[in-house]
Amino acid sequence: GAGVSQSPSNKVTEKGKDVELRCDPISGHTALYWYRQSLGQGLEFLIYFQGNSAPDKSGLPSDRFSAERTGGSVSTLTIQRTQQEDSAVYLCASSLIRTGNGYTFGSGTRLTVV
Amino acid sequence: GQQLNQSPQSMFIQEGEDVSMNCTSSSIFNTWLWYKQDPGEGPVLLIALYKAGELTSNGRLTAQFGITRKDSFLNISASIPSDVGIYFCAAFGGSQGNLIFGKGTKLSVKP
């Protein structure tokens, strides 16, 4: 597509439930990134994909968080047994290659855990 | 881990004033970037800097890559209401190998 598409744009879930967040990157972009933005904070790196593999998962905050990417395209970020501290905006970005520029961000998914 | 210290956290300015914000780090980076985020949107790249000492302009925006490679500043001249938003510095090429971000400068302009 023309830009990075994320869905849903907003998600309210009950504490303890699992959620799946989707990212559809720009066609042809091999690198895909997930970031988390908490209120008043900068962007916290979560995970990086090159193609379907995730060589860098160092930012995932706990084992409740996982992500996959299939067909070198769509990625899903899954949060199991959500907690209130998981409430944040989850941003996805993609780029042609893993460089310092060329990241195009989606509009994010605002997750609220109640 | 590596951190970018961005200041100020927020600022209120009169329309027409110039604005300055900066980012510092104890680490050396190869690339510095400045992004702007509007409410409900993802960050959008404003300026990218690749060389120590480089000074780059984009319209009313000017940014510099510090000579030590540990800092960068962004200036906005003659601010207008649509400059409102959150500005993030970001850097790449340190030991982490991913783009890392400052905590942002929230800019509010009085009309």
Side-chain angles (χ1 to χ4, degrees), chain B residues 5 8 14-15 29 34 48 56 61 71 83 89 107-108 110:
Chain B
N5 302 306
Q14 290 283 6
E15 183 177 351
F29 293 98
W34 287 91
T56 296
L61 307 177
D71 62 332
D83 289 336
C89 63
L107 185 64
S108 303
K110 298 174 191 174

Side-chain angles (χ1 to χ4, degrees), chain A residues 33 35 37 40-43 45 48 56 58 91 98-103 105-108, chain B residues 31 33 35 37 40-43 45 48 50 88 92 96-104:
Chain A
Y33 317 84
Y35 283 82
Q37 184 176 24
Q41 299 295 313
L43 279 69
F45 169 76
Y48 152 67
D56 189 348
S58 62
L91 289 160
R98 189 189 196 188
T99 64
N101 71 339
Y103 282 42
F105 281 89
S107 296
Chain B
T31 303
L33 308 107
Y35 285 82
Q37 186 178 30
E41 300 293 328
L45 182 65
Y50 303 105
F88 290 99
F92 184 83
Q96 283 188 298
N98 291 300
L99 200 58
I100 63 171
F101 286 80
K103 292 192 175 180

Side-chain angles (χ1 to χ4, degrees), chain A residues 92-110:
Chain A
C92 174
S94 69
S95 63
L96 269 174
I97 56 173
R98 189 189 196 188
T99 64
N101 71 339
Y103 282 42
T104 301
F105 281 89
S107 296
T109 293
R110 180 175 295 279

Side-chain angles (χ1 to χ4, degrees), chain B residues 48-65:
Chain B
L49 303 151
Y50 303 105
K51 197 170 165 185
E54 179 181 358
L55 186 72
T56 296
S57 292
N58 178 6
R60 294 179 295 107
L61 307 177
T62 301
Q64 183 156 34
F65 189 149

